[in-house]
Structure formats: C-alpha cells, structure tokens
Amino acid sequence: HGTWCTQWDYVADRFGSADLLPFTISDMDFATAPCILEALAQRLSHGVLGYSRWKNDEFLAAISHWFLSRHNTQIDPQSLVYGPSVIYMVSELIRQWSSAGDAVVIHTPAYDAFYKAIEGNQRQVCAVGLEKRADGWFCDMVALEKALSRPESKILLLCSPHNPTGKVWTRDELETMAELCQRHCVK
C-alpha cells in the first residue's frame, strides 16, 4: 500500500469497496531481485534519462543473443518491433492479422483486458470455456476446433500461463492447438 499500486491502492475505485483482497492483477507483490536493482542503479548512474532510441545495434544484438542462447533460435534483428505493453501489442496484432467483424478465439475465463482489446478493435470474442476439474483446468479440443473452424475466426489469442486460471499448457495441448490453427488457417 502507498506505492500507487493499481492492485492495492485503488481497490475502491475498481470495485466500489476498499475492504476487498484484489487478486486480479499480475502485480509484483515482492521485493525486486538485487541483481535487477543493481542493473537499474548502473543504468541510472549513466545520467542520461532522455528519449533513447530502442533500435540500436547493441540492444538488437542483446535480444538476438537471448533468443539464440535461450531458445536456440536465430532471429533477424530488423524484424523486431517496439511494444510499450502486452495489451498494446495484442491490439496491434489483432489489427494486423484480422479485419473488423472477424472473430478472435479466447479461452475463458479470460483476462478482462483481452475483451477490451478484441471488442475495441471491432472484432468478435469467440469464447471457448475451460473446464475446471479436480486436477486442474482443461480445454475441450473438440469445442476449440469448432470455434476455430468458423469462417470468421482469424486469431487464437493464447495466454500462457493462462490468465486468470494459472494453467500451464502441456506440450501436447500446445501441439494440438497449433495443428488445429494450421488446419483452419487461424493465426
């Protein structure tokens, strides 16, 4: 509390009551790791805090190195784009990969900002409900295929780990979803 934190300091603004425990935002409710604080302190000691260009060789090389060392994948540094937030990029990809009136398939329950990003771009939400079982959340792949096969379905907005359930998709589930998207020409 007292840090301008959306999750904790603005409960009443968001829900109409201040005496709630708001477990709705993926906030960082723990201290930042010392190595991150040290890196930030080093950057701050540089002293120049103006408008920096993100598309410079050093920054692009660092991203390329990360993809190569972490995922054994080479990327073209010139293909990188700047994204100030996740929801901004979700909205941009929705605009790039679909047209007004098209559908975006999501697993529900879903993060509320996904609805706003989809509907705010004049697209339809096509919900595929996850099933809660004793051992976790599951996607009915037959229901998912039915949604993906609709002619207006252009995008599967996949959240991993899933928000808000926390479900971590298995490799088999991801491969099945990828194959279904490919079969129905869904991005």
Side-chain angles (χ1 to χ4, degrees), residues 37-38 49 55 89 98 133 141 152 159 167 178 181 187:
L37 292 175
E38 290 165 16
L49 303 176
K55 202 166 192 174
M89 291 307 296
S98 65
R133 299 181 193 160
M141 293 297 175
E152 63 272 16
C159 186
K167 175 185 179 43
C181 286
K187 295 184 188 283

Side-chain angles (χ1 to χ4, degrees), residues 160-171:
S160 185
H162 182 264
N163 184 354
T165 68
K167 175 185 179 43
V168 176
W169 301 99
T170 67
R171 181 180 188 98

Side-chain angles (χ1 to χ4, degrees), residues 29-114:
D29 290 341
F30 48 84
T32 303
C35 61
I36 295 171
L37 292 175
E38 290 165 16
L40 287 170
Q42 181 181 357
R43 178 64 181 110
L44 287 172
S45 70
H46 181 274
V48 177
L49 303 176
Y51 293 100
S52 300
R53 293 288 173 104
W54 70 270
K55 202 166 192 174
N56 61 68
D57 291 339
E58 190 174 323
F59 183 68
L60 296 175
I63 293 172
S64 296
H65 173 74
W66 185 84
F67 271 93
L68 185 60
S69 62
R70 180 74 183 249
H71 300 290
N72 196 29
T73 301
Q74 288 204 295
I75 62 167
D76 175 7
Q78 297 309 311
S79 69
L80 297 172
V81 296
Y82 173 72
S85 74
V86 171
I87 295 304
Y88 171 88
M89 291 307 296
V90 166
S91 290
E92 185 60 31
L93 291 173
I94 287 170
R95 287 189 292 273
Q96 294 289 324
W97 293 346
S98 65
S99 300
D102 287 341
V104 177
V105 179
I106 60 172
H107 295 101
T108 58
Y111 177 38
D112 63 337
F114 290 164

